[in-house]
Amino acid sequence: MPNVTAVRTSVLPPYAAHLRVYEPLAAYPGPERARWQAYAAAHGPDAEGPERTVAGAALEEQRAALAELLARTPRALPERESERAFVRVLDGVTYVCPWTTRLRSWQALEELAGVLPAALLDTVMPPAVRAAAEADQAAWRKSHPDARPWILTSRWEVPVRWFLPFGKEDRHFVPPVPAGDAAGPEPAALCYLTPMVQARRRVARGYRVLREKLPRGPLVQGAEQVGRWLEEFHPRSLVELDYGGLVHLLGPERLSADHSAEEIDAGLAALRAGDAPEAVRMYESVTARWRKVLALRQGS
């Protein structure tokens, strides 16, 4: 299949979804722009057009991360920042989403410390290893005070707030390719892709109605977090929500029937119109769906 990175492997990706920002080459400063331009020219696009996904390239990234974990000496993060990126081409424009694996590893380490009990955390990641990683991060932050990841990751669920930037027209469902197909087998895929301007507009509109109608609800803070993160990027960027490895949990039938972004949008419209029962029904429809997925984590 042209214009798609294909990776054949028996390794299943983690059960995680990703929110990504792809910035146009023009958004990067001179030397960095030249580097990404050369990378895109040599590497080619991972996806061309809105209907394509970067699933193959994402699996390649995860395999590289797994190789790091299998090193003889335990490491909390890669020794150097990744020089790779996801590349999208849309309407003749090249967009780049750097992997920033090292920066995201620091963030994952912070999240891990907030989730695991201390004894288990020490077993998974010894205190000396964590301390070295934290020292490295502190030193790195001094020279990179404005650094931010182009990719956010959520394990075992898609947070409701992540649907705020998208509408039903942004949804792209790719059916699975059966084992007998020459290009297959490939799992189903589900992603949303929208221009940054539209994403910011939707989040701001959602934030306003939530702050007015449900000022103490969890979505208010979530909308603010997503909005602040999107403001960090070029206004002509692309925003993508990728169900990633969650497709292996949900399966093609549940993916095909999943219209979470449309339901959240409908719930906000109902809330704006003063129809609280309908807003609650839409919200609970989405949260109930993801509670079932989260329940699988407890049984794993």
Side-chain angles (χ1 to χ4, degrees):
M1 185 180 295
N3 304 322
V4 175
T5 301
V7 178
R8 304 297 179 202
T9 177
S10 59
V11 177
L12 285 178
Y15 297 139
H18 309 281
L19 191 63
R20 304 187 184 102
V21 170
Y22 297 78
E23 292 191 285
L25 286 173
Y28 296 91
E32 193 174 358
R33 182 190 314 151
R35 180 168 67 86
W36 288 128
Q37 190 168 14
Y39 176 88
H43 177 79
D46 297 305
E48 190 164 359
E51 297 83 9
R52 303 292 191 187
T53 74
V54 297
L59 184 54
E60 185 179 348
E61 181 204 13
Q62 289 150 4
R63 291 181 69 193
L66 181 60
E68 290 281 348
L69 290 175
L70 294 177
R72 290 185 179 180
T73 302
R75 284 183 290 181
L77 65 155
E79 294 180 351
R80 292 178 296 276
E81 185 56 275
S82 173
E83 296 183 353
R84 303 187 64 178
F86 297 114
V87 179
R88 271 193 173 274
V89 174
L90 186 64
D91 297 330
V93 178
T94 298
Y95 298 85
V96 174
C97 175
W99 285 5
T100 54
T101 307
R102 199 164 193 253
L103 175 58
R104 289 161 57 207
S105 295
W106 274 319
Q107 293 179 327
L109 185 60
E110 293 174 358
E111 294 172 6
L112 195 65
V115 173
L116 294 182
L120 181 56
L121 178 62
D122 290 346
T123 301
V124 174
M125 194 62 60
V129 175
R130 298 203 311 274
E134 291 165 1
D136 286 345
Q137 182 183 23
W140 183 84
R141 277 291 184 188
K142 290 182 179 179
S143 56
H144 302 83
D146 299 323
R148 74 281 192 261
W150 282 259
I151 306 171
L152 302 181
T153 297
S154 174
R155 293 158 186 83
W156 292 92
E157 67 170 335
V158 179
V160 172
R161 63 185 180 274
W162 283 13
F163 293 111
L164 294 173
F166 307 99
K168 63 179 181 180
E169 67 275 15
D170 304 319
R171 181 180 183 275
H172 303 286
F173 171 66
V174 181
V177 177
D181 193 287
E186 293 286 353
L190 179 58
C191 72
Y192 291 82
L193 188 69
T194 196
M196 176 63 78
V197 172
Q198 185 68 277
R200 288 176 179 171
R201 184 180 298 121
R202 288 197 184 103
V203 172
R205 188 168 60 234
Y207 176 72
R208 284 194 298 270
V209 69
L210 288 166
R211 188 177 59 179
E212 177 185 349
K213 304 290 186 179
L214 299 171
R216 296 184 180 180
L219 269 179
V220 176
Q221 184 178 2
E224 184 176 7
Q225 290 173 346
V226 172
R228 287 183 182 277
W229 182 66
L230 294 179
E231 287 293 335
E232 296 285 339
F233 301 96
H234 194 279
R236 294 186 180 178
S237 301
L238 300 175
V239 185
E240 176 187 63
L241 169 56
D242 182 359
Y243 275 45
L246 291 177
V247 301
H248 297 281
L249 275 178
L250 297 172
E253 291 185 2
R254 292 170 70 183
L255 282 175
S256 179
D258 187 315
H259 295 270
S260 295
E262 184 177 355
E263 290 173 283
I264 292 298
D265 191 46
L268 288 171
L271 195 61
R272 192 179 298 112
D275 188 350
E278 178 64 9
V280 170
R281 189 178 74 84
M282 288 291 98
Y283 178 74
E284 289 186 345
S285 173
V286 175
T287 55
R289 181 180 304 133
W290 289 106
R291 277 198 298 270
K292 293 178 181 178
V293 178
L294 282 169
L296 298 175
R297 176 180 60 183
Q298 305 302 325
S300 66

